[in-house]
């Protein structure tokens, strides 16, 4: 039986901070992606001392490279944004490694779920709507400006936008179309009515410098840096303004609970300039009263599995029942009568060239057919515009609402992409690659496409990407 005063003495021992080890920070957030950035800001707003760990570095136009340095391979001295890794049987993951996490390599899409059938009862549409409102306000989310110049002139986006509206009107038997139109995006687009132009620089409402999206710059090759409202430009930027501390190139390796409460996190701190094998990082440990593990579904699972021998209360299900997010990629090749005419003209030009009659009547007729066919053939450049911008929403095969989305997917065409990579690899001679270089590459490609056969003909065969 408890003696008088024994219970109070026990509580005093629990809440006596002098008996606890000193902490390096009150709240340690591992990861700076969508989970970690929100947690860091909310803790900092509540007056707690916050330290954010991110294994990658800060991303801007000056340090982006589309060559091998775009990969996350610290053992080889590469500290890029993208880590592509094989996980088990037929599963390849693409994760981010940068301050801002997955907001750097996702498409900027911020969707709202309207139906929560099958979700726990605690998740209600009205409560989620308030959460959506808050996120959209912080990230300055807006629909793709399909009616604003020059964004309204992107051919592949216009094509998929009109196709979605046509499906919505016709309601084909094979699909039950629920909605079609533009997508809400965390991307900053210029408004010509306000005197704004693509490529203009501005300061967002949090005080972070940004640039308006330019459809001529390909997103995958750095064109959305500064125009996509990544987390380092809102949640994390604001958290730092309020006093949060950030340590980049710092990867958590394992977690160790402390006696009396709190955690010790063992960290690998990378040294980008160290090229010698085995000398690219230093080890340290940090302690915290509270710990937020937000290194993504894959990164967090790895971290916890590495800590399992020190954290026996972890569930035995940890690391099991993984699944992909259900994306598939489809390609459509736009065939038209103009392409057939141009193809006949190209064949005639080839025959005239090899027979030495390029300036004879066959060559002249071939040239006429070739260029006339190009003018008749619609052209959908695959590398122009935002990766995701419009969608068609359909009921799933099991009848669930919001079960499927068809979206446009732009990508760098092989020729331009290889030129960009080559330009990046030649940085010792010509300086670092800049996303603006892609625009110059595009101008060269446009000139070749318009004036030199067979580039124009081949460019009409680049597939339109669908997600």
């Amino acid at each position: 039986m408890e003696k008088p005063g024994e219970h109070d003495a026990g509580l005093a021992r629990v809440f006596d901070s002098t008996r606890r080890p000193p902490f390096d920070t009150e709240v340690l957030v591992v990861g700076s992606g969508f989970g970690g950035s929100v947690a860091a800001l909310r803790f900092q707003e509540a007056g707690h001392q916050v330290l954010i760990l991110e294994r990658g570095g800060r991303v801007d136009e000056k340090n982006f490279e589309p060559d091998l340095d775009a990969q996350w391979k610290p053992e080889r001295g590469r500290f890029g944004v993208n880590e592509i890794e094989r996980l088990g049987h037929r599963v390849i993951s693409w994760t981010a490694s940068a301050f801002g996490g997955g907001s750097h390599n996702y498409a900027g899409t911020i969707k709202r779920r309207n139906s929560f059938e099958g979700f726990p009862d605690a998740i209600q549409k009205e409560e989620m709507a308030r959460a959506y409102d808050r996120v959209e306000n912080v990230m300055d989310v807006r629909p793709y400006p399909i009616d604003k110049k020059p964004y309204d002139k992107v051919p592949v986006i216009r094509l998929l936008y009109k196709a979605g509206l046509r499906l919505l009107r016709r309601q084909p038997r094979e699909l039950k179309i629920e909605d079609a139109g533009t997508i809400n995006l965390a991307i900053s687009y210029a408004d010509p009515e306000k005197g704004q132009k693509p490529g203009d620089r501005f300061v967002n409402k949090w005080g972070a410098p940004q640039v308006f999206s330019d459809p001529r710059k390909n997103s995958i090759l750095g064109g959305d840096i500064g125009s996509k409202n990544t987390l380092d430009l809102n949640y994390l930027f604001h958290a730092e303004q309020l006093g949060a501390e950030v340590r980049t190139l710092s990867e958590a390796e394992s977690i160790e609970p402390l006696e009396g409460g709190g955690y010790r996190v063992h960290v690998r701190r990378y040294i980008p300039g160290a090229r010698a094998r085995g000398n690219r990082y230093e080890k340290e440990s940090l302690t915290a009263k509270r710990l937020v593990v937000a290194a993504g579904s894959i990164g967090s699972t790895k971290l916890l599995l590495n800590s399992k021998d020190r954290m026996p209360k972890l569930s035995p299900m940890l690391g099991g029942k993984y699944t992909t997010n259900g994306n598939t990629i489809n390609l459509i090749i736009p065939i038209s009568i103009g392409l057939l005419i141009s193809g006949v003209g190209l064949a005639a030009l080839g025959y005239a060239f090899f027979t030495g009659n390029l300036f004879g009547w066959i060559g002249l007729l071939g040239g006429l057919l070739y260029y006339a066919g190009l003018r008749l053939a619609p052209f959908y450049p695959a590398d122009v515009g935002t990766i995701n911008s419009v969608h068609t929403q359909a009921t799933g095969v099991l009848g669930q609402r919001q079960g499927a989305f068809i979206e446009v997917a732009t990508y760098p065409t092989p020729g331009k992409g290889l030129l960009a990579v080559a330009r990046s690899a030649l940085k010792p001679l010509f300086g670092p690659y800049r996303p603006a270089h892609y625009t110059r590459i595009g101008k060269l490609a446009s000139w070749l496409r318009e004036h030199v056969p067979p580039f124009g003909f081949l460019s009409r065969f680049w597939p339109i990407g669908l997600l």
Side-chain angles (χ1 to χ4, degrees):
M1 187 172 180
E2 188 177 79
K3 297 178 182 179
E6 193 176 53
H7 177 71
D8 293 339
L11 286 177
R13 284 195 298 272
V14 170
F15 290 102
D16 184 6
S17 61
T18 62
R19 298 179 61 88
R20 293 174 180 267
F23 296 112
D24 295 306
T25 186
E26 185 180 358
V27 181
L28 181 62
V29 180
V30 178
S32 63
F34 288 102
S37 62
V38 177
L41 177 58
R42 299 299 173 233
F43 272 114
Q44 193 66 45
E45 285 177 329
H48 299 284
Q49 179 192 12
V50 176
L51 172 60
I52 305 167
L53 288 184
E54 169 55 52
R55 69 173 182 170
R58 295 181 185 262
V59 178
D60 56 36
E61 293 174 280
K62 296 179 180 179
N63 64 13
F64 175 84
E65 298 289 343
D67 60 10
L68 293 177
D69 286 338
Q71 302 178 56
W72 172 257
K73 290 188 178 294
E75 70 280 3
R76 298 184 183 179
R78 295 172 185 154
F79 302 93
V81 174
N82 306 286
E83 182 180 29
I84 299 176
E85 186 180 16
R86 189 176 186 86
L87 299 172
H89 183 56
R90 294 191 299 179
V91 175
I92 298 175
S93 70
W94 178 14
T95 53
S97 178
F99 185 55
S103 67
H104 286 287
N105 60 12
Y106 88 128
T109 305
I110 305 290
K111 283 191 174 70
R112 287 196 178 210
R113 172 166 283 280
N114 297 317
S115 173
F116 293 92
E117 297 176 20
F119 281 66
D121 293 338
I123 299 178
Q124 298 294 326
K125 181 177 180 180
E126 294 76 16
E127 184 178 356
M128 292 300 297
R130 289 193 292 271
Y132 283 130
D133 289 340
R134 196 172 188 185
V135 171
E136 290 174 359
N137 176 61
V138 174
M139 300 190 71
D140 203 15
V141 174
R142 300 173 186 178
Y144 180 84
I146 195 68
D147 58 341
K148 304 284 187 182
K149 295 180 180 180
Y151 310 108
D152 61 336
K153 301 299 183 183
V154 180
V156 68
I157 292 176
R158 293 294 307 179
L159 176 70
L160 270 297
Y161 177 72
K162 291 180 178 179
L165 294 180
R166 186 178 301 172
L167 285 171
L168 183 62
R169 288 195 304 270
R170 294 186 177 181
Q171 288 295 333
R173 189 177 304 172
E174 298 83 1
L175 285 172
K176 183 179 179 182
I177 307 300
E178 298 173 348
D179 192 18
T182 57
I183 298 176
N184 282 342
L185 300 166
I187 298 176
S188 294
Y189 294 99
D191 187 346
E193 296 176 2
K194 297 179 180 179
Q196 300 166 351
K197 298 178 182 177
D200 284 354
R201 299 190 178 276
F202 69 100
V203 175
N204 69 17
K205 60 186 176 183
W206 305 109
Q210 287 199 241
V211 60
F212 289 117
S213 177
D214 187 340
R216 297 169 299 175
K217 299 178 182 178
N218 185 262
S219 300
I220 294 176
L221 293 176
D224 57 7
I225 294 177
S227 63
K228 185 160 57 173
N229 305 338
T230 48
L231 298 167
D232 54 320
L233 301 173
N234 37 70
Y235 278 100
L236 295 168
F237 188 89
H238 191 36
E240 283 193 278
Q241 284 184 318
L242 295 177
E245 182 185 352
V246 176
R247 295 192 188 182
T248 56
L249 296 176
S250 298
E251 183 171 19
E253 290 188 309
S254 63
I255 302 166
E256 177 184 352
L258 296 176
E259 186 177 352
Y263 300 90
R264 183 183 302 278
V265 178
H266 298 277
V267 179
R268 179 180 294 187
R269 187 166 59 84
Y270 293 106
I271 307 170
R275 291 285 178 175
R277 184 176 295 276
N279 189 34
R280 295 198 177 101
Y281 63 86
E282 296 176 346
K283 290 197 173 185
E284 62 180 359
S285 63
L286 297 168
T287 58
K289 184 177 179 180
R290 293 183 176 90
L291 177 65
V292 177
V293 178
S297 58
I298 294 174
S300 296
T301 303
K302 287 182 179 179
L303 176 58
L304 293 174
L305 286 173
N306 287 342
S307 312
K308 202 167 185 180
D309 57 337
R310 299 173 180 175
M311 304 178 72
K313 292 185 179 180
L314 286 174
S315 168
M317 294 300 294
L318 179 66
K321 296 201 172 184
Y322 261 80
T323 181
T324 63
N325 60 3
N327 273 351
T328 60
I329 299 176
N330 301 275
L331 300 173
I332 301 174
I333 298 179
I335 302 297
S336 67
I337 188 66
L339 271 181
L340 296 176
I341 295 172
S342 184
V344 171
L346 185 63
L349 280 173
Y351 175 81
F353 176 79
F354 286 108
T355 58
N357 293 311
L358 187 60
F359 297 102
W361 70 270
I362 294 180
L364 294 176
L365 179 61
L368 179 63
L369 290 174
Y370 174 78
Y371 288 107
L374 288 187
R375 294 293 176 270
L376 292 173
F379 179 44
Y380 303 104
D383 62 330
V384 176
T386 308
I387 293 178
N388 269 355
S389 47
V390 297
H391 69 180
T392 302
Q393 175 184 320
T395 301
V397 293
L398 301 179
Q400 69 274 37
R401 292 187 60 193
Q402 292 184 297
F405 293 89
I406 304 171
E407 302 170 348
V408 65
T410 62
Y411 59 91
T413 52
K416 294 182 187 177
L418 288 174
L419 283 174
V421 171
R423 173 63 184 80
S424 177
L426 293 174
K427 53 182 172 283
L429 296 176
F430 303 106
Y433 170 87
R434 296 286 182 268
H437 292 156
Y438 194 80
T439 305
R440 301 172 195 168
I441 293 172
K443 289 180 180 178
L444 172 62
S446 296
W447 187 87
L448 291 173
R449 188 173 61 237
E450 293 300 319
H451 299 95
V452 183
F455 293 106
F457 180 74
L458 295 175
S459 67
R460 265 60 173 184
F461 278 94
W462 291 128
I464 296 171
L466 297 180
L467 295 176

